Amino acid sequence: MKKINIPTLDFYPFKLSIARRNMEATIEKVLGEIENPAIFEFDKNFSSEVNNLIEALSKITSDYDLLEFSYKIKLRHVRLLLSYLSSNYDKIEHTARINIIKLTWLNPKISLFKQLWSTFQTLYSEPAIIYALKFYFKKFDHLNKLIGISEREFFFIKQWIDSGAEINKFVEFIIKENISLVSIKERFYIKDDKPLFTDLCWNIAITAKSTHFFSDTNNIKYICDMLEKTNSIEKLAQFYNHYLTVLDIEHCDRQILEILVDRFGEPNKPKVNLFWNLLDENVKQKLLMWLNEQKLLLFFSDDNERFSFWKRFIKYMEYVYPDRQNYRVFMYFKNIVVIEFGNVGNAIYAYSKDYFKSAYEVYMNLNRSNDFFKDKNNCLFRIIHRTNWKYNTFLCLRQYENIG
């Protein structure tokens, strides 16, 4: 097909204007045919027709034989093979894979482009399909209309593919343009079940430094979906190291943090030590502070005064253990363990950490009464919730924990 270039002019001679309208009408007709879902219907149960074509292509080793084959095969078969290749890449032998892609440029048809772009999203690092797209870019105009994206976005796609389709360059463009993850699908016609979309999302999530990006509810949805689906602890650690370094803990999304805790437990009581070893110390400390705050918030849900007081010292706490069944909470500091009781009329008790571990820790989960943990003779300090209880507690914390 000879390439037709129609210039954009403010004034057209009459015949050129007619030719342009005819060209646009032809494009609209092709678009309509490609959007017809019946074109892409095929037997997903490995029909004999598909298997026979793949078997034949696996035996073709010369370009001359493949060229001859391309003139014999029907256009609907090429579409069918591209669609099958997109979802069954690993099941097709290498020679057959390459030959399927080569068919698209040995006997090029503009109506193949949409399916070729979809297949590329699965095999975007495959040199053969990169070459195929470059070939189509040079041979045909108005390809952006076939996939429904703007000329600006399509211009970037062409440049990106011409330069080798490196994922990091696409990521840089997305971040520079402040494009949300959901907008990637719409602006570039990239399907969210394709490896290209998944890899873009991962790389953007471990590169972006904008609080706006991480606070976007649509981005959070896709990030959570990625985190829940991946089995790679290295990728998870890479994301959380970046996420908790870029954002202050108060700006982090609760669901994103809960996915981590639900899967691996708490930093100081890990279910999988290897994962926690991959996290930076400052990241683990941030996460621990957030966990301790959530536990205190839950325990003091009806007592904002006490919650606000203890929240000031969360960064000094190593661990918080709330026992809501018996309405008490144990706050572990570096040197002491402080106990608060939920019911009215109970004082604060504090013990040295070593004494508490030997005398009480084994009983924390045994449903002992609150009185069991009250020992006036062996506690370091005991403070009743009266007028000056916050000031007195602060003085004791400063004495035993060197809190300024």
Side-chain angles (χ1 to χ4, degrees), residues 16-29:
L16 182 57
S17 178
I18 295 295
R20 184 178 182 86
R21 285 202 297 269
N22 289 340
M23 181 64 179
E24 289 175 347
T26 301
I27 291 173
E28 292 299 321
K29 181 176 180 295

Side-chain angles (χ1 to χ4, degrees), residues 183-198:
S183 296
I184 293 174
K185 297 191 301 177
E186 301 161 359
R187 293 177 63 168
F188 300 97
Y189 190 69
I190 297 176
K191 299 177 182 178
D192 59 10
D193 62 344
K194 299 288 187 178
L196 176 58
F197 182 81
T198 303

Side-chain angles (χ1 to χ4, degrees), residues 289 292-301 303-320 328-333 336-342 346-351 381-385 389-398 400-401 403:
M289 287 173 58
N292 289 339
E293 181 176 346
Q294 299 308 304
K295 292 173 183 177
L296 290 177
L297 180 61
L298 183 64
F299 183 79
F300 293 118
S301 58
D303 193 336
N304 188 60
E305 182 184 14
R306 284 199 287 173
F307 170 71
S308 299
F309 173 77
W310 289 111
K311 182 181 178 181
R312 295 163 52 194
F313 306 105
I314 283 176
K315 64 180 178 180
Y316 301 104
M317 297 178 189
E318 295 180 345
Y319 181 63
V320 173
R328 58 193 175 221
V329 61
F330 302 88
M331 293 171 279
Y332 283 69
F333 290 82
I336 64 175
V337 177
V338 178
I339 309 173
E340 272 270 39
F341 300 94
N346 288 283
I348 298 170
Y349 280 78
Y351 301 91
F381 61 85
R382 172 180 177 271
I383 297 174
I384 299 173
H385 295 91
W389 75 269
K390 287 184 281 188
Y391 178 69
N392 293 332
T393 304
F394 169 71
L395 292 178
C396 291
L397 290 174
R398 184 169 66 178
Y400 291 104
E401 291 294 330
I403 294 175

Side-chain angles (χ1 to χ4, degrees), residues 32 35 38 53 111 131 135 151 154 230 255 286 311 320 339 342 349-350 353 367 381:
E35 290 295 340
L53 287 169
S111 58
Y131 176 84
F135 182 89
E151 291 184 4
F154 193 70
T230 186
Q255 187 178 357
K286 276 187 177 183
K311 182 181 178 181
V320 173
I339 309 173
Y349 280 78
K353 186 190 288 185
N367 202 28
F381 61 85

Side-chain angles (χ1 to χ4, degrees), residues 195-207:
L196 176 58
F197 182 81
T198 303
D199 291 349
L200 278 173
C201 289
W202 265 113
N203 283 276
I204 293 167
I206 62 174
T207 306

